[in-house]
Amino acid sequence: MRQLCSLAVLTLAGLQSLEAQAQPISAAQNPPLRVLLNDVAPYTLHGDPQQRPGMHHEIMQTLARQAELPMDFSSALYVRLALGLKDGSTDLVVGIEGPELETLATRVRPMHSFKFVVIAKKSTEIRSVAQLKGKLLGVARGAFYDESINNDDSIRKYGMADPFQGVRMLALDRLDAVISSDYLLAYALKQPGLDNSQFDTPFAVNEKSYVIYARKDLSAEVLRRLQRGMDALQKSGQIDRILRSYQ
């Protein structure tokens, strides 16, 4: 009888061990990943009547479920993303691929591509990067656009809070042009009180990607879960469906 009881205890212990191995990473085992996102529409939405959290929030929430990883979300101005990695206050950011983030963090996976575009008034006839020389260009603080822009000191740069502010300043002739992603600019041009007929058609500078970046000491297992999760979402078409819903 004692042998049978001992065998039963060992069997139960073995089953519990296997069960523990099969469990996803939970908040008890691992605290939620702190995710910091760009606080601008459509990447983050506040008070949306359709109850949508924003493009990047929605994609990261979907990734959290797919990877079975708990996440806590917050948002800030774009320049704060790199600072969050530097001071250790965040674990993951969704940022534009570029030298600063590539140095600061571990590249997890690209999230989606976009185009950097420049908009100006029709009256200025600015239709190329070369024509920005000597002009005042509205830029997001901390953003790397292209060597032809960031490394050209003849292009004067004004650090705008976001393209919404930039477009308003452009309308008042306080800026000569504004550069932004095509997604952000499309939303900025929808804000009330703008006469869009004064603006020229935006021209593309290049194509970039928004990338998920992780702090460098994030565990290899968490990185693998994030990578496998994003691969699965891309393959299933879920990322494209979310992107289309915000266009």
Side-chain angles (χ1 to χ4, degrees), residues 7-116:
L7 182 60
V9 169
L10 288 171
T11 302
L12 179 59
L15 288 172
Q16 289 174 336
S17 176
L18 288 172
E19 197 174 87
Q21 292 175 20
Q23 291 296 318
I25 295 176
S26 65
Q29 296 169 302
N30 213 48
L33 294 170
R34 300 162 299 171
V35 182
L36 186 61
L37 302 174
N38 192 3
D39 192 5
V40 64
Y43 304 143
T44 298
L45 296 179
H46 300 286
D48 183 75
Q50 299 181 46
Q51 300 300 308
R52 296 180 303 173
M55 181 192 295
H56 288 175
H57 273 263
E58 192 167 335
I59 291 174
M60 291 302 291
Q61 287 172 348
T62 306
L63 176 60
R65 292 191 293 271
Q66 178 71 34
E68 297 183 303
L69 288 167
M71 295 185 187
D72 280 342
F73 296 93
S74 58
S75 57
L77 293 177
Y78 187 81
V79 69
R80 187 68 183 82
L81 302 188
L83 294 176
L85 291 168
K86 288 178 181 177
D87 64 22
S89 62
T90 189
D91 300 308
L92 298 172
V93 303
V94 177
I96 300 163
E97 58 184 341
E100 183 178 27
L101 290 177
E102 295 288 342
T103 301
L104 279 176
T106 299
R107 185 184 180 102
V108 179
R109 282 289 188 268
M111 178 182 278
H112 68 87
S113 62
F114 67 94
K115 291 180 180 178
F116 271 131

Side-chain angles (χ1 to χ4, degrees), residues 96-221:
I96 300 163
E97 58 184 341
E100 183 178 27
L101 290 177
E102 295 288 342
T103 301
L104 279 176
T106 299
R107 185 184 180 102
V108 179
R109 282 289 188 268
M111 178 182 278
H112 68 87
S113 62
F114 67 94
K115 291 180 180 178
F116 271 131
V117 295
V118 172
I119 189 170
K121 279 190 169 182
K122 293 176 181 176
S123 57
T124 64
E125 298 185 349
I126 297 173
R127 298 189 178 94
S128 70
V129 172
Q131 291 174 312
L132 290 172
K133 294 180 182 295
K135 305 298 184 182
L136 185 59
L137 176 67
V139 300
R141 300 181 185 97
F144 185 86
Y145 298 102
D146 191 81
E147 288 186 359
S148 65
I149 291 176
N150 288 72
N151 297 342
D152 189 342
D153 293 335
S154 71
I155 301 175
R156 297 182 297 129
K157 301 170 183 76
Y158 175 86
M160 57 189 182
D162 53 48
F164 290 76
Q165 177 199 31
V167 169
R168 292 194 300 271
M169 292 179 68
L170 180 61
L172 295 172
D173 294 320
R174 294 174 60 190
L175 292 173
D176 295 308
V178 169
I179 185 169
S180 184
S181 78
D182 46 4
Y183 287 101
L184 292 186
L185 186 61
Y187 270 70
L189 290 173
K190 293 176 183 176
Q191 58 186 313
L194 284 180
D195 174 16
N196 287 352
S197 65
Q198 65 187 310
F199 301 127
D200 209 340
T201 302
F203 64 87
V205 174
N206 56 24
E207 186 168 305
K208 292 266 192 175
S209 289
Y210 267 100
V211 175
I212 302 172
Y213 287 99
R215 59 180 173 83
K216 283 188 174 290
D217 59 346
L218 199 64
S219 78
E221 172 59 19

